[in-house]
Amino acid sequence: MIVKFERSTDIKYIGVNDYDIDLFESQYMLENGMAYNSYLILDKRVAICDGVDKIAVDRWLANLDEALEGRTPDYLIVHHLEPDHSFSIQAAADKYPDMKIILSAGAMRMLPQFCDVDPARTRSVTENDMLDLGYHKLTFMMAPMVHWPEVMVSYDSTDKVLFSADAFGKFGTIDADEGWSCEARRYYFNIVGKYGKQVQALLAKAGKLDIQTICPLHGPILTDTIPEVLRLYDTWSKYEPEDRGVFIAVASIHGNTKEAALKLEKILEQRCCPRVAFADLSRDDIAECVEDAFRHSVVVLMASSYDAGVFAPMADFLHHLESKSFQNRTVGLVENTSWAPSAIKTMRAELEQMQNIKILDKTVSIKTRVTDATVMELDALAEEIMKEF
């Protein structure tokens, strides 16, 4: 798939869409495949910007050969070394023996882990170094921990293009018929989200540039939506809620806790809560649940007590939240117990390890089944939740 840029006559898209993959990084479910983006800059000197995953190498080399139109690349720029972008380095280096590899100092140290390339063929760059291709001039900016330590981005001052590595990417192929924000949000919080401080540092650098096009390593090339994309990344990386509303996450064994969760959802809707979302942690995509927790200002955790702790799907969910630096939220707690209540105590202990989590004073402890008394307790919890708006 070779695509010419609308806003550049010299840059071509040579990436590969994988329509068959259903699980990214062996953990994130995909409905619309995945794009491994790569770009070619044809100038006095020719530069490839990043490679692709192992499943796409042959197709990528074919795209590259067609786009080169008989020319030979002078440089391969490696913005990010993760295997889904670096597996093709060896193949390209072998095919074009005079090609130099441009990468950060951190990536240069890590390169032998990924391929066997003569160090004499590599060149490391640091902050604000420039690569002059003739008409196009690329300035490099380091972006460590967005989301690996060796990451850098580059800015083409001629066509106002930011080659952004994994930043601003999303799940799905480049031609997926869907909006950007939903799958970009799930991608961000599950892959990049732990590193909000580092994303803020990158946004500060990007804010000084006139960016007309963003070329990420996954998802579509961004143009007209750039202001909204930058706004959302700013919100997400500050760990601020995107929406005023409630996310109810339930881990139910026999269905009683889920019944209570559905009743709470209905009560909140009747009280005109700005937004209510619901997830069954035993059945729904955990990555989407993480996304929804970060999206909303209030989260209600509802789970069964289990083995003197909390039911495993909730324990797993809390682990995911903690590992992604969940913070700055209000949380309500509901447990279900038949004889030894332990879920609220366990969930509270986990939440207290996170930053700036306000746990509502009102909690609800269900005794096995949902009764009229349970509904009254849930109504009281809903009343306290509504005070947050």
Side-chain angles (χ1 to χ4, degrees), residues 23 38 50 68 72 87 96 103 122 148 150 152 179 196 199 312 352:
L23 202 61
S38 176
D50 298 291
L68 282 169
T72 301
F87 194 91
Y96 304 108
L103 67 178
T122 64
W148 273 29
E150 88 308 350
M152 66 179 184
V199 173
E352 287 174 347

Side-chain angles (χ1 to χ4, degrees), residues 73-97:
D74 297 280
Y75 305 106
L76 170 61
I77 300 169
V78 178
H79 292 98
H80 180 27
L81 260 180
E82 197 169 5
D84 54 324
H85 311 296
S86 67
F87 194 91
S88 56
I89 291 176
Q90 189 72 61
D94 292 344
K95 185 171 183 177
Y96 304 108

Side-chain angles (χ1 to χ4, degrees), residues 1-3 5 12-21 24 30 32-40 48-67 83-85 87-88 170-176 216-221:
M1 181 180 182
I2 301 174
V3 180
F5 279 43
K12 295 182 179 180
Y13 175 86
I14 56 169
V16 177
N17 285 321
D18 185 351
Y19 298 99
D20 299 320
I21 185 173
F24 183 68
L30 300 174
N32 292 312
M34 197 68 182
Y36 303 109
N37 295 343
S38 176
Y39 308 92
L40 183 68
I48 307 166
C49 292
D50 298 291
V52 296
D53 199 5
K54 58 184 176 182
I55 197 171
V57 172
D58 290 343
R59 284 177 286 167
W60 177 71
L61 287 173
N63 287 347
L64 174 59
D65 186 61
E66 181 182 346
D84 54 324
H85 311 296
F87 194 91
S88 56
K170 65 178 282 292
F171 296 120
T173 59
I174 196 169
D175 57 355
L217 290 180
H218 296 294
I221 297 165

Side-chain angles (χ1 to χ4, degrees), residues 262-271 375 378-379 382:
L262 292 170
K263 288 187 180 295
L264 177 61
E265 180 184 31
K266 185 175 181 179
I267 291 169
L268 287 167
E269 290 172 346
Q270 290 172 341
R271 287 177 173 269
V375 175
L378 293 171
D379 189 70

Side-chain angles (χ1 to χ4, degrees), residues 27-28 189-196 239 286 290 294 315-327 350 353-354:
Q27 58 181 321
Y28 302 116
F189 284 117
N190 287 280
I191 292 181
V192 187
K194 184 179 179 68
Y195 306 106
Y239 301 99
I286 192 68
V290 169
F294 277 97
D316 185 45
F317 181 53
L318 286 165
H319 169 72
H320 276 78
L321 292 182
E322 190 278 331
S323 69
K324 302 304 179 184
S325 299
F326 186 68
Q327 57 189 275
E350 291 292 326
Q353 302 303 310
M354 304 177 199

Side-chain angles (χ1 to χ4, degrees), residues 251-254 256-257 260 302-311 334-345 347 364-370 374:
S252 182
I253 300 174
H254 297 292
N256 292 309
T257 312
M302 305 180 68
S304 302
S305 297
Y306 193 83
D307 285 346
V310 67
F311 189 36
V334 178
E335 69 181 356
N336 195 340
T337 180
S338 295
W339 65 90
S342 58
I344 286 178
K345 179 181 178 181
M347 292 188 290
V364 178
S365 187
I366 305 165
K367 299 296 184 181
T368 306
R369 65 188 179 92
V370 177
T374 304

